[in-house]
Amino acid sequence: MASAKSTAHPQDAPARDAQPQSAGLLGAVPFACAMFDDDGVLRGGNARFAEEFGELPEHSERDALLARLQGEAGAGERPREVRAPHSGRWYALHWGRAEHDGAPVDVLTAVDISERIETLDSHKTRQEKLLFTSRLMSVGEMAATLAHELNQPLAAIMNYLNGSLRLVEQAGGPVQVERALQAARTQAEHAAAVISRVREFVRAREPRRDAHELSKIAETVLELLRLEAERLQLRIDLGLPTNLAPVFADRVMVEQVLLNLVKNAIEAMREIPTARRELRIDARMNLDDQIEVRVSDRGAGLSPAEQDQLFSPFFTTKTDGLGIGLAICRSIIEYHEGRLFFEPREGGGSVFGFTLPRYEART
Ligand SMILES: Nc1ncnc2c1ncn2[C@@H]1O[C@H](COP(=O)(O)OP(=O)(O)O)[C@@H](O)[C@H]1O
Ligand SMILES: [Mg+2]
């Protein structure tokens, strides 16, 4: 660990006044400061060091102390910024070579940087939140506002229709008008149902990112769609290694993304012969060290013109579609610093996929 480029110091070298001087010096340093000999044994430290690290049983042994702090900081030799496990405080570590008592020593200073780290952290969360709101504003808020604005006139239309229907019924006809009014009411009810689905879909939630296994997320999603898949006699193949590194993500949001992609894949195969209805979900680590998830179907695929509009809000080719699924998926994945993509599937159909950072890469 310690680069032992020790300059030879004869054992019998005169002690000079190094000891009292450096002890005095250490005492004057306004940070935790300690020195270790070339065997890594603590030779002395100032009061701050005793105060801030003395509680750790490993404090008197350089490598053990480092390992303890390093364990909190992650990989890498001689970490520069570490977190003390017993106090939760952050330190910037600096090493220097000096001489003490005629022998070379490693001098450690540990500067408490907790405040700086906390400021950075809160700044980051604030930024993430901002980014999130601005992205989700574009689709989610728009959809929510629209739904809200449409609700009022729609309720009024329903009232007028019901009133008119009552009048026509009382007057005993004409029957064509009665039928037309009933048809209009059915359509208005359908519109109301669509609007309530939009509101359900964009309900705001605070994101909370943590370590999650993709196989578990996929399990939840497939459980929700099992009936639908069985009804269509879909074959589902999974390529989800259980030893895949966990992702750093908000579980509910990723579930929502996967649910949407799988739902789209299922819907894309409604019109094709049963024997060809095959859905695949794969996950793997890609070359950029991210987790990549792919949902593949055997549907009709997409024309180049459709591909261009795919992620635009309200683009849909379905009579019962809302066209906000993919747009919201993209907001969510971008919030996670990942990428949502489409590519044609070999042998026919589409592949929709996304990437997410690994948990270990983030902590
Ligand atoms: N797996 C898929 N295969 C073919 N087309 C798809 C697929 N997924 C999405 N699309 C196309 O993208 C459009 C937008 O999808 P989406 O945003 O989920 O809205 P919706 O499903 O409500 O139409 C769909 O209407 C469809 O034309
Ligand atoms: Mg959809």
Side-chain angles (χ1 to χ4, degrees):
M1 291 224 50
S3 49
K5 30 175 180 136
S6 64
T7 38
H9 280 277
Q11 289 302 320
D12 55 350
R16 286 172 289 180
D17 51 355
Q19 188 172 5
Q21 219 176 52
S22 51
L25 277 176
L26 287 199
V29 176
F31 321 116
C33 199
M35 44 190 178
F36 298 89
D37 65 21
D38 274 0
D39 293 328
V41 178
L42 181 72
R43 294 302 303 273
N46 62 6
R48 281 279 298 256
F49 181 80
E51 221 168 82
E52 294 177 40
F53 295 95
E55 245 177 70
L56 286 175
E58 297 91 344
H59 80 280
S60 56
E61 218 271 295
R62 181 191 56 206
D63 292 352
L65 174 65
L66 263 184
R68 185 87 161 108
L69 298 175
Q70 200 163 7
E72 290 290 308
E77 272 202 338
R78 286 210 164 177
R80 297 190 53 83
E81 293 189 352
V82 298
R83 188 157 183 229
H86 62 301
S87 61
R89 301 201 64 85
W90 285 90
Y91 291 94
L93 302 187
H94 301 274
W95 290 94
R97 284 294 269 183
E99 195 179 291
H100 173 64
D101 210 2
V105 286
D106 273 335
V107 180
L108 167 70
T109 51
V111 180
D112 191 326
I113 51 165
S114 306
E115 248 166 62
R116 203 184 86 207
I117 296 272
E118 271 152 31
T119 319
L120 268 178
D121 268 2
S122 80
H123 181 68
K124 218 167 102 197
T125 15
R126 223 174 319 129
Q127 273 224 322
E128 279 188 359
K129 222 183 254 169
L130 260 179
L131 193 74
F132 177 67
T133 18
S134 75
R135 288 268 162 69
L136 224 62
M137 274 288 281
S138 57
V139 200
E141 284 287 294
M142 197 151 81
T145 313
L146 206 62
H148 180 78
E149 292 296 322
L150 286 178
N151 237 3
Q152 299 292 326
L154 205 57
I157 290 172
M158 294 269 255
N159 276 339
Y160 283 122
L161 286 173
N162 285 330
S164 307
L165 260 172
R166 257 197 315 276
L167 287 178
V168 175
E169 270 164 16
Q170 276 164 15
V175 71
Q176 291 94 328
V177 176
E178 192 178 341
R179 282 212 202 104
L181 287 173
Q182 273 163 352
R185 188 171 62 183
T186 307
Q187 291 300 318
E189 278 165 0
H190 175 68
V194 168
I195 285 172
S196 76
R197 265 166 66 207
V198 174
R199 302 183 92 173
E200 176 72 11
F201 204 94
V202 297
R203 220 180 21 213
R205 214 184 125 263
E206 279 282 307
R208 248 206 353 257
R209 294 173 77 175
D210 214 331
H212 292 292
E213 282 172 38
L214 253 160
S215 54
K216 295 268 163 57
I217 291 179
E219 224 170 79
T220 313
V221 168
L222 286 173
E223 192 53 41
L224 288 172
L225 294 171
R226 208 186 37 191
L227 280 182
E228 176 73 0
E230 274 171 14
R231 205 173 58 74
L232 286 172
Q233 294 177 282
L234 270 172
R235 202 175 84 223
I236 300 181
D237 295 319
L238 300 178
L240 304 165
T242 43
N243 59 352
L244 198 66
V247 293
F248 180 53
D250 180 290
R251 174 163 185 155
V252 175
M253 291 184 141
V254 177
E255 278 171 6
Q256 203 179 34
V257 171
L258 194 61
L259 183 75
N260 265 287
L261 298 186
V262 176
K263 240 173 148 169
N264 278 347
I266 292 176
E267 283 164 5
M269 293 192 280
R270 278 192 294 213
E271 310 294 333
I272 62 160
T274 320
R276 260 181 75 75
R277 289 178 190 158
E278 184 232 331
L279 178 83
R280 277 203 66 86
I281 305 179
D282 296 284
R284 63 176 178 118
M285 182 116 83
N286 71 11
L287 293 175
D288 295 328
D289 214 24
Q290 298 164 316
I291 303 298
E292 184 179 298
V293 184
R294 303 165 73 87
V295 178
S296 317
D297 65 56
R298 287 283 179 219
L302 289 148
S303 72
E306 283 169 344
Q307 286 176 36
D308 284 346
Q309 298 197 65
L310 207 49
F311 301 112
S312 320
F314 307 113
F315 167 74
T316 181
T317 55
K318 298 167 193 168
T319 46
D320 58 345
L322 302 173
I324 57 170
L326 287 177
I328 288 183
C329 287
R330 188 164 71 166
S331 303
I332 292 176
I333 294 300
E334 281 181 356
Y335 164 72
H336 283 86
E337 297 129 291
R339 198 170 62 85
L340 184 70
F341 59 87
F342 159 82
E343 56 193 53
R345 185 179 183 188
E346 216 167 291
S350 322
V351 179
F352 279 86
F354 58 88
T355 59
L356 286 173
R358 286 190 308 121
Y359 178 70
E360 284 96 16
R362 288 325 190 80
T363 45

